Amino acid sequence: MSGGTLRDRLRTQLADCKMPGALEAVDDILRRIDAGELSAGPAMEALLGSHIALRNQRRLQTAMRCARLPTVKTLDDFDFTFQPSVKRDQLESLHTLQFLERKENVVFLGPPGVGKTHLAISLAVIAAERGRRVYYATLADLITWLEDAQQAGHLTRRLRTLVSPSLMVVDEIGYLPISRTGAQLFFQLMSRRYEHASTVLTSNKSFEEWGEVFGDEVMAAALIDRLVHHCHIVNIRGNSYRMREHRALASRLAPPPAPDSSSAPVRGRSPRRQEG
């Protein structure tokens, strides 16, 4: 391959090697070499780094689609100053994903809007970035899928599918009522994942209220027993991010206060001179 310019030859070789990230970056890297900004070693590192970055981005996008993650949230985006009850070192430790290796669970408890879903998704995102299989669902959606599978006669296959992800996020426990059948199906799933794979759960209800959520105190106690056996519990006590945003928006949209007419001077009349 002796014909063409160096740029053309590099682009052909990168295309043959199926390195689209490097192919996108090669023109800018050659420009920086010509400008004396990069030497050979850093240029090679930048070229390979561009390829790896694009590959990881595409892998994350594919993993997010398969995981049904509703959005991308990261630990860096979380406002620890607004939620001082959250221990940063505990969350940073969880984001090393060692709990996945030990098949441990994570439960985020707290009132609505304090960041439980944000933190749960951030764990799912970093797990997906590291090549782990991830699955996300609200409790209501998860139970609907299990009930549909049961009615269609392939519940066992659906349970097997839901046991396999290294990390499952079950969001919004306690937000909507669930049927007794749905509670029993969820219990089956959690029992199968127990000590087999990690589950991250979020709830606006304390464990003491889960009996009411699932409609069965005994089953709720058995479920909690399995979940907390190997578990990291994060209690978040604070204000709602959404309420903070609503208040900020309301303050921006509020009309400016009207001037106080009692202190405004009356035109056409000079102030009366006081004697004395």
Side-chain angles (χ1 to χ4, degrees), residues 18-227:
K18 294 182 172 58
M19 299 177 68
L23 190 60
E24 290 180 6
V26 66
D27 288 347
D28 182 63
I29 290 173
L30 289 174
R31 179 193 61 77
R32 293 172 65 190
I33 292 173
D34 291 340
E37 299 173 6
L38 284 178
S39 59
M44 292 177 63
E45 183 180 26
L47 195 66
L48 294 173
S50 298
H51 172 66
I52 292 170
L54 181 62
R55 183 195 63 189
N56 289 345
Q57 180 185 7
R58 289 182 174 179
R59 185 170 63 184
L60 178 59
Q61 290 171 347
T62 300
M64 281 192 61
R65 286 194 299 270
C66 295
R68 300 173 182 262
L69 286 173
T71 185
V72 173
K73 299 286 187 181
T74 68
L75 187 61
D76 291 338
D77 300 329
F78 189 78
D79 188 355
F80 284 94
T81 60
F82 189 70
Q83 298 296 11
S85 67
V86 179
K87 299 177 181 178
R88 182 189 289 268
D89 56 349
Q90 181 185 21
L91 268 299
E92 289 176 346
S93 176
L94 288 173
H95 281 72
T96 65
L97 301 184
Q98 293 180 17
F99 75 95
L100 286 184
E101 305 295 338
R102 298 189 292 263
K103 310 294 190 300
E104 296 169 345
N105 302 317
V106 181
V107 180
F108 293 99
L109 300 174
V114 296
K116 302 184 300 296
T117 297
H118 181 134
L119 293 172
I121 290 177
S122 70
L123 288 172
V125 167
I126 195 167
E129 287 177 339
R130 297 184 185 178
R132 299 301 190 98
R133 189 177 173 193
V134 175
Y135 196 84
Y136 168 93
T138 64
L139 178 63
D141 286 342
L142 183 60
I143 287 176
T144 297
W145 297 332
L146 290 171
E147 290 176 335
D148 290 346
Q150 185 180 48
Q151 293 173 5
H154 51 76
L155 176 61
T156 301
R157 184 171 62 193
R158 179 62 57 84
L159 287 170
R160 190 183 307 118
T161 299
L162 293 173
V163 167
S164 60
S166 298
L167 178 62
M168 170 178 280
V169 175
V170 182
D171 202 9
E172 299 181 358
I173 295 175
Y175 284 78
L176 295 173
I178 59 177
S179 67
R180 181 173 177 80
T181 300
Q184 292 171 342
L185 292 172
F186 180 65
F187 179 78
Q188 286 187 55
L189 174 60
M190 291 297 100
S191 295
R192 294 194 181 204
R193 288 186 62 83
Y194 173 60
E195 295 189 330
H196 179 82
S198 295
T199 305
V200 175
L201 306 98
T202 75
S203 179
N204 66 331
K205 304 291 187 183
S206 65
F207 286 136
E208 290 78 10
E209 299 173 280
W210 280 29
E212 181 182 349
V213 172
F214 291 100
D216 188 318
E217 295 286 348
V218 175
M219 183 172 59
L223 173 63
I224 294 168
D225 182 65
R226 284 163 173 76
L227 289 176

Side-chain angles (χ1 to χ4, degrees), residues 201-259:
L201 306 98
T202 75
S203 179
N204 66 331
K205 304 291 187 183
S206 65
F207 286 136
E208 290 78 10
E209 299 173 280
W210 280 29
E212 181 182 349
V213 172
F214 291 100
D216 188 318
E217 295 286 348
V218 175
M219 183 172 59
L223 173 63
I224 294 168
D225 182 65
R226 284 163 173 76
L227 289 176
V228 303
H229 184 208
H230 308 291
C231 187
H232 303 266
I233 299 174
V234 181
N235 279 295
I236 306 178
R237 299 175 301 276
N239 298 316
S240 168
Y241 285 103
R242 289 187 287 272
M243 290 303 297
R244 179 182 68 170
E245 292 171 356
H246 291 165
R247 287 194 295 268
L249 178 61
S251 66
R252 290 197 299 269
L253 296 178

